[in-house]
């Protein structure tokens, strides 16, 4: 009886090759997960637009929506990766068949670009004139918080000016100290409420995205 000695060796070699392939693919899988980003695009340009991903090597455009266009007031959610670049292109008017309604150079469709960065929950506003404003939910919440704090400080200053003009010098310092305490408490309260609102909105958006 003859024993085939090649089978175990062949199996071992196949296992080694398979292991090497897996090890080679792991860094790419991990990198993709780390660089994946969610982007929401809101069209506020007053025009129809098209959104395309630009291939980094060939420059070829790939449209990112199933419909012919993204209408004014509509939004588009994308899952992409850091460093990916997109083109926002104005589409001709259905009535005039031209961009800009013929007010400028005939057929001159405007365009703008944005590149996915490393921030989470990115938001892209396409403003009037097809101008891209690229931000993220954290920055939006921070800017709102700063605006609330500035308004709070202005209100407090107005109150202090009124107190000074009343001629009540004896209570001036006391009132000023009280106002400073109120301002500080209001600042903390506004910021806490805003953060709660922001986190709640993010959770609601995530739940909506998960259900669609």
């Amino acid at each position: 009886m003859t024993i085939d000695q090649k089978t175990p060796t062949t199996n071992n070699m196949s296992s080694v090759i398979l292991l090497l392939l897996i090890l080679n693919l792991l860094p790419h899988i991990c990198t993709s997960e780390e660089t994946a980003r969610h982007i929401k695009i809101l069209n506020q340009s007053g025009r129809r637009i098209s959104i395309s991903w630009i291939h980094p090597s060939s420059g070829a455009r790939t449209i990112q929506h199933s419909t012919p266009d993204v209408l004014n007031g509509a939004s588009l959610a994308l899952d992409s990766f850091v460093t990916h670049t997109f083109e926002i292109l104005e589409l001709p008017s259905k009535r005039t068949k031209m961009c800009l309604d013929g007010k400028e150079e005939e057929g001159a469709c405007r365009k703008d670009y944005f590149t996915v960065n490393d921030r989470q929950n990115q938001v892209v506003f396409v403003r009037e004139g097809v101008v891209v404003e690229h931000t993220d939910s954290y920055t939006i919440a921070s800017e709102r918080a700063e605006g609330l704090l500035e308004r709070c400080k202005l209100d407090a200053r107005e109150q202090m000016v009124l107190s000074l003009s009343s001629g009540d010098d004896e209570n001036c310092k006391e009132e000023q100290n009280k106002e400073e305490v109120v301002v500080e408490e209001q600042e903390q309260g506004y910021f806490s409420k805003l953060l709660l609102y922001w986190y709640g909105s993010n959770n609601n958006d995530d739940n909506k995205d998960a259900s669609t």
Side-chain angles (χ1 to χ4, degrees):
M1 182 172 120
T2 306
I3 299 175
D4 187 359
Q5 298 292 335
K6 294 182 180 180
T7 301
T9 304
T10 303
N11 290 339
N12 289 338
M13 287 297 295
S14 299
S15 299
V16 170
I17 292 172
L18 180 61
L19 180 60
L20 289 173
L21 286 172
I22 293 172
L23 291 174
N24 187 50
L25 288 173
L26 273 177
H28 299 284
I29 295 172
C30 294
T31 301
S32 296
E33 290 178 352
E34 291 173 359
T35 60
R37 294 294 183 270
H38 181 72
I39 306 103
K40 181 172 285 186
I41 303 171
L42 295 90
N43 182 12
Q44 300 176 343
S45 66
R47 311 288 297 181
R48 298 186 306 130
I49 60 172
S50 177
I51 302 168
S52 300
W53 171 65
I54 303 176
H55 193 282
S57 299
S58 66
R61 269 63 169 169
T62 304
I63 294 177
Q64 299 298 296
H65 39 91
S66 56
T67 56
D69 51 27
V70 178
L71 298 174
N72 178 51
S75 62
L76 178 69
L78 293 177
D79 289 311
S80 187
F81 299 91
V82 175
T83 73
H84 280 199
T85 299
F86 293 84
E87 178 184 76
I88 309 293
L89 175 66
E90 177 188 13
L91 295 177
S93 167
K94 291 182 178 180
R95 180 173 57 85
T96 64
K97 308 300 181 185
M98 295 186 300
C99 293
L100 308 178
D101 288 333
K103 294 179 181 178
E104 296 184 16
E105 181 183 352
E106 184 175 329
C109 293
R110 294 166 290 187
K111 64 180 68 174
D112 205 350
Y113 306 86
F114 74 91
T115 299
V116 181
N117 57 41
D118 59 354
R119 301 300 289 268
Q120 297 290 341
N121 299 318
Q122 296 175 47
V123 183
V124 175
F125 296 97
V126 185
R127 304 296 193 187
E128 186 177 354
V130 193
V131 176
V132 166
E133 180 184 335
H134 188 186
T135 183
D136 56 83
S137 55
Y138 176 80
T139 301
I140 293 172
S142 298
E143 290 174 350
R144 287 177 180 173
E146 289 176 3
L148 288 172
L149 295 181
E150 286 302 317
R151 285 198 294 272
C152 180
K153 290 176 180 178
L154 287 174
D155 290 341
R157 288 169 187 165
E158 289 176 2
Q159 291 295 326
M160 284 188 284
V161 169
L162 290 173
S163 297
L164 287 170
S165 62
S166 66
D168 191 3
D169 296 332
E170 294 180 1
N171 298 325
C172 182
K173 291 184 179 180
E174 182 180 351
E175 291 297 324
Q176 183 177 353
N177 291 334
K178 288 181 180 179
E179 287 294 340
E180 289 176 353
V181 171
V182 170
V183 169
E184 184 177 357
E185 290 176 351
Q186 287 179 342
E187 288 179 354
Q188 293 175 354
Y190 278 133
F191 190 70
S192 298
K193 288 178 182 178
L194 190 62
L195 286 179
L196 288 173
Y197 170 80
W198 176 63
Y199 283 122
S201 298
N202 278 350
N203 290 334
N204 291 334
D205 290 342
D206 291 342
N207 292 334
K208 288 180 182 178
D209 292 341
S211 62
T212 56

